[in-house]
Amino acid sequence: MLTIACPNCGERGVDEYRFGGELPTVPDSVTDPGERNVDYLWFFDNVAGPSTERWFHDGGCRRWFTVQRDTLSDRIIGDRIING
Amino acid sequence: MNEFVETILSLQWQDPKPTYDVVIVGGGGHGLSAAYHLAARHGITNVAVLEANYIGSGNSGRNTTIIRSNYGIPESVRFYQHSVDLYNQLETETGCWIMHATKGLMWLVHTETGMRAERARSLVNTACGTETVMISPEEAKALCPQLDLSGGGRYPVRGGSYHPGGATARHDRVVWAYAQGAMQRGVHVHQHTPVIDLLRDGDRVTGVITPNGPISAGMVMSAVGGKVTQLAAMAGVRLPVRTHPLQAFVTNGYAQGLGPIVSSTELLTYVSQTARGQLLMGAEFEPQPTYSMQTSFQTLANVSSKVAYLLPFTRNLRVLRQWTGICDVSADFSPIMGGTGVDGFCITTGWGTWGFKAIPAGGEQMAQYIATGDTPPLIAPFALSRFAADHPMADQGSTGTR
């Protein structure tokens, strides 16, 4: 099972956390403001590899933080919290 | 494919040609069904199906084989009902035994909110020509005597909906039936041929690049499961899709027999009996997207404990095998079929955890789209452009998995 080191509570299993989504990036090729909004709302990068994403420690300190996760192996990359 | 499979099928493997009218990426149920319907219904046989592994090795070989049409919105009900009808005649049509068995599907409900949702579902289904009726706990017990209506004291059954058309079929036999039907009509199927890039002429997609060289095509169709975001990106198409893993497992044989497919929309589990007598149990998909196919003990423990509340006899069974498939879950929990806005590239994706039941209809409709150039009315609501038009086909409650 995926384990995540919460900056406040330490290493816990993924069932304590809620996935908050990857930090969305809209490609530069999308220039129309309306289209950018549609992309932001509906579309996903769905990265295969390192993905920077938000997690919420639902079953612990109930705080948001940002980590990098490898979506190919479903493991957190490094122990560095990018943004507490 | 192993030797046993080759003895029961008549498959003619061919060498790849440099050019085809249609190249279908992905040799699973949807890709082979589209190839079959192109050849059988439209006479288009200059078609190649490219599969990175062996046919049916992806989600076609990992799903929980449930066929049903009790969806929550009219567009979905009509589409899936058409697919259920096609499944019912598939053995006659292809001459292949797919172990199709209509056994009925029971969705149990444990809360008053859930009862309201199921009442709405049964009304929508009835209005759109699919039979779904509300049942009382006593009727549920009559349909499946093994049920514990008290839910182990924790999840008492308040009632549920019953969908008599619910069925199961052997998943890889469905793939083989379509592969055989397509190959007998001249379609080429190339296994172990991954697509590493797309050939492009300006914005247009004109073919695919494989490790054995390029193959040009008048139309490239993506029937990829799992890595579809990466394939679409090669054509410059972004998708409203995230790839989540879903786990399932089977137990050893249960001799007494379990009648209908038993599931609970609120506990997010479903149990059916395979032709071998094993109980096949599935879970909800995992909340975080990943391409990893690892299984976890947590899911096994979680699902089996919930099933044991409803069907106490399962406590005495043993788990034989557990596996994971990666599901392309679309943003509105409905499939995406048809054109992509890029010439020469069409797509069938977003099949999440509801792809197996749609194999006949999805392939048939995509074949019609490719053959005629017009989007058939049945799949027009599921076009990729629906998101930009702010008209999502939101039907999360009908997926049975979340």
Side-chain angles (χ1 to χ4, degrees):
Chain A
M1 183 173 63
L2 172 65
T3 59
I4 302 170
C6 169
N8 306 306
C9 312
E11 186 110 351
R12 304 287 178 87
V14 70
D15 42 1
E16 282 195 12
Y17 296 91
R18 198 185 298 169
F19 177 67
E22 65 241 48
L23 290 178
T25 56
V26 180
D28 294 337
S29 57
V30 183
T31 47
D32 177 20
E35 260 186 62
R36 287 192 83 83
N37 286 346
V38 169
D39 195 289
Y40 188 87
L41 267 180
W42 291 110
F43 290 73
F44 303 114
D45 293 340
N46 200 21
V47 184
S51 168
T52 307
E53 43 196 32
R54 299 285 282 167
W55 284 83
F56 179 62
H57 197 177
D58 202 8
C61 60
R62 300 188 59 78
R63 284 192 203 167
W64 287 94
F65 56 93
T66 307
V67 288
Q68 239 195 359
R69 184 174 63 98
D70 183 359
T71 60
L72 290 174
S73 61
D74 199 17
R75 288 284 176 273
I76 300 293
I77 301 169
D79 50 2
R80 192 168 64 91
I81 300 299
I82 294 161
N83 175 10
Chain B
M1 312 288 298
N2 62 40
E3 283 172 30
F4 167 71
V5 172
E6 299 269 1
T7 61
I8 59 169
L9 293 174
S10 111
L11 304 176
Q12 293 99 37
W13 304 105
Q14 315 276 355
D15 287 330
K17 293 195 292 181
T19 299
Y20 290 95
D21 290 342
V22 181
V23 164
I24 297 172
V25 188
H30 278 275
L32 290 163
S33 168
Y36 169 83
H37 286 100
L38 275 173
R41 299 271 173 90
H42 303 284
I44 301 174
T45 55
N46 189 16
V47 176
V49 179
L50 307 182
E51 166 57 44
N53 203 332
Y54 60 91
I55 58 171
S57 58
N59 291 333
S60 296
R62 295 162 197 274
N63 63 80
T64 48
T65 74
I66 294 172
I67 300 162
R68 61 182 175 87
S69 59
N70 58 340
Y71 276 71
I73 55 175
E75 294 87 347
S76 292
V77 177
R78 290 193 196 102
F79 174 77
Y80 290 108
Q81 182 57 44
H82 181 54
S83 203
V84 168
D85 294 343
L86 289 177
Y87 259 121
N88 287 337
Q89 62 181 51
L90 187 58
E91 290 181 344
T92 322
E93 189 183 334
T94 61
C96 295
W97 183 41
I98 59 161
M99 301 183 179
H100 183 276
T102 302
K103 38 179 91 160
L105 170 92
M106 199 159 47
W107 274 16
L108 299 172
V109 175
H110 314 282
T111 65
E112 197 46 50
T113 326
M115 287 300 280
R116 279 201 290 275
E118 289 315 296
R119 251 178 238 123
R121 174 189 317 287
S122 67
L123 290 173
V124 170
N125 286 188
T126 308
C128 298
T130 291
E131 192 183 358
T132 303
V133 292
M134 296 301 291
I135 51 172
S136 67
E138 292 70 31
E139 287 169 313
K141 181 87 177 167
L143 285 163
C144 179
Q146 294 98 329
L147 267 183
D148 177 5
L149 290 179
S150 74
R154 186 157 178 188
Y155 300 109
V157 176
R158 280 178 176 253
S161 68
Y162 182 64
H163 177 53
T168 58
R170 176 79 200 168
H171 46 43
D172 32 20
R173 278 182 182 258
V174 173
V175 173
W176 300 338
Y178 279 125
Q180 181 174 284
M183 288 163 94
Q184 280 169 348
R185 288 169 175 82
V187 170
H188 288 192
V189 178
H190 304 302
Q191 301 189 108
H192 308 289
T193 308
V195 167
I196 48 181
D197 206 350
L198 294 176
L199 287 173
R200 294 178 70 181
D201 177 15
D203 281 343
R204 217 191 121 80
V205 172
T206 57
V208 298
I209 300 174
T210 71
N212 305 327
I215 299 174
S216 60
M219 173 65 89
V220 175
M221 170 178 149
S222 163
V224 174
K227 289 285 176 68
V228 64
T229 304
Q230 284 70 37
L231 186 85
M234 294 171 194
V237 175
R238 270 168 74 77
L239 292 177
V241 162
R242 271 174 174 161
T243 303
H244 293 261
L246 182 136
Q247 302 185 31
F249 54 92
V250 288
T251 67
N252 57 350
Y254 172 60
Q256 277 85 338
L258 182 75
I261 305 159
V262 178
S263 59
S264 159
T265 51
E266 288 163 315
L267 299 184
L268 301 165
T269 57
Y270 36 97
V271 187
S272 68
Q273 191 166 31
T274 69
R276 248 182 286 191
Q278 306 166 331
L279 292 189
L280 173 54
M281 306 183 189
E284 59 195 302
F285 59 77
E286 319 268 314
Q288 80 275 19
T290 164
Y291 296 87
S292 155
M293 291 197 203
Q294 64 199 343
T295 54
S296 71
F297 178 74
Q298 280 75 16
T299 301
L300 184 64
N302 182 17
V303 174
S304 51
S305 73
K306 286 194 285 196
V307 170
Y309 280 126
L310 291 173
L311 299 166
F313 75 88
T314 55
R315 283 159 211 237
N316 297 325
L317 298 176
R318 300 283 177 270
V319 173
L320 292 188
R321 208 164 62 247
Q322 184 186 7
W323 66 91
T324 302
I326 50 174
C327 318
D328 305 311
V329 181
S330 57
D332 60 356
F333 296 83
S334 285
I336 298 163
M337 286 176 276
T340 56
V342 173
D343 271 352
F345 184 67
C346 63
I347 201 161
T348 175
T349 185
W351 286 112
T353 62
W354 45 91
F356 178 73
K357 64 179 76 68
I359 284 175
E364 182 204 42
Q365 299 293 310
M366 284 306 290
Q368 192 178 333
Y369 169 76
I370 293 171
T372 63
D374 295 323
T375 309
L378 203 57
I379 62 167
F382 301 107
L384 178 60
S385 56
R386 70 178 184 265
F387 295 97
D390 205 15
H391 201 282
M393 294 283 117
D395 197 12
Q396 186 173 8
S398 300
T399 63
T401 51
R402 182 142 288 262

